[in-house]
Every structure is written in structure tokens, then in C-alpha cells.
Amino acid sequence: MTQLDFAPGIETRKPTEVVTEFFDAYRRRDVEVMADMCTDNADFSYIPFEVWAKQRVMRGDGKVRTVGKVIWSGLINAFPNLFNVIHHIDGNENGDVVVACDIAGTQQSAWAFISPQGQPFSEPHLFIMHVNPDGLIDSIRAYWDNAGVCRQLGHLEVD
């Protein structure tokens, strides 16, 4: 894999190394470090994420520093033992990185519309990320089976 061209004097890291460090921070539940590894205007899209309220729907689309940090902090609060296991990571010379991982944890407090029942979940996730030439993540997209997570947590309600 070819490394991106970085500015002189800046440590050269492969995009896969940057993303691995991001997931290490996620495993430590360090939302500030996760956000600091991203550009100020990094795009964020958790495709299946959707929370329905009485007058609005919150979707997992926006920016890392707004929507992303809120979702990550909420997950970590509701699942204090939240962790991830990377099964495969691959990248190219353009900064594109794909990560196949499992994210898991045991629910201890309310998460979105799901009341805590002390249930664990473990669900495969696919992340598609981009690392810019400065070594910062500027795009995060993630996919998973949200219905599978809900079933594992004992939330079987259907609208």
C-alpha cells in the first residue's frame, strides 16, 4: 500500500494506521481523542441510526464534532463496557479505509428508545472512512443490522 504524501516534517503514517489508532481510542472510550483524529468539518453518517421522538426524527447524519460525538458519548454512557474488535482493515493510496469489526457491550442505561434490561449485544459493523493527506479522518460512514442490535437488547417493539 502506498502512503499518502504528507507535508514535510510531519510523521508519515498509512491511512490504515490512523484508523487503527481511532479504533484504539474508541476501545478506550475516549470520544475527545476520536474527534481530535478527525478534521473540524469531518462528515459523519451512521446509516442505520434513527431515533424517533414525538415531533422529530434524529438520524446519524451530520458532522463528527456534532452528531458523531453525541452518538459516541451516548453509546458509551449506555454501554460502559462498549468495545470493538477489528477483524479486517484495508486501505489504498487515496486514503480510503474499510474496517470490518464487531462492536459489543452490555446495556446499563437507556439508549435512544431502548430501556435497559442488562442485555449484551455484539454486532458486525462495516466502516468506510477517508484519511486526508494531513493524516486526519475527514469522513466516517458505518453500516450494521440495527434490528439485530434491538433484538439482542430485548427491544422487539415495532411501529
Side-chain angles (χ1 to χ4, degrees):
M1 178 170 143
T2 305
Q3 295 181 11
L4 292 174
D5 293 327
F6 289 87
I10 295 178
E11 178 185 334
T12 302
R13 296 181 300 156
K14 294 179 181 180
T16 53
E17 293 171 337
V18 172
V19 171
T20 298
E21 289 177 26
F22 173 87
F23 278 91
D24 289 345
Y26 199 175
R27 215 170 291 112
R28 291 189 312 271
R29 296 176 277 299
D30 194 335
V31 173
E32 292 305 319
V33 169
M34 292 165 65
D36 287 346
M37 295 186 72
C38 299
T39 62
D40 288 340
N41 203 28
D43 291 320
F44 180 89
S45 186
Y46 273 21
I47 307 303
F49 184 85
E50 191 173 81
V51 176
W52 288 75
K54 290 184 179 184
Q55 296 189 8
R56 69 182 183 105
V57 177
M58 181 184 162
R59 292 192 169 83
D61 289 312
K63 300 296 179 181
V64 164
R65 297 200 187 277
T66 55
V67 176
K69 284 181 71 172
V70 169
I71 290 174
W72 296 331
S73 296
L75 277 167
I76 290 165
N77 183 57
F79 302 87
N81 68 338
L82 189 73
F83 67 95
N84 65 75
V85 176
I86 295 175
H87 298 290
H88 182 77
I89 185 167
D90 195 18
N92 64 25
E93 67 276 357
N94 297 320
D96 301 310
V97 180
V98 175
V99 179
C101 69
D102 288 341
I103 296 184
T106 302
Q107 187 179 14
Q108 299 299 315
S109 63
W111 167 241
F113 50 84
I114 303 173
S115 298
Q117 298 179 31
Q119 299 292 328
F121 85 96
S122 179
E123 194 66 33
H125 284 59
L126 176 69
F127 284 81
I128 301 171
M129 303 169 82
H130 185 265
V131 178
N132 73 14
D134 295 325
L136 295 172
I137 299 164
D138 60 16
S139 177
I140 298 174
R141 282 182 288 158
Y143 302 85
W144 67 89
D145 178 6
N146 205 50
V149 172
C150 289
R151 274 192 305 276
Q152 291 175 63
L153 297 176
H155 182 78
L156 307 174
E157 182 178 312
V158 177
D159 290 341

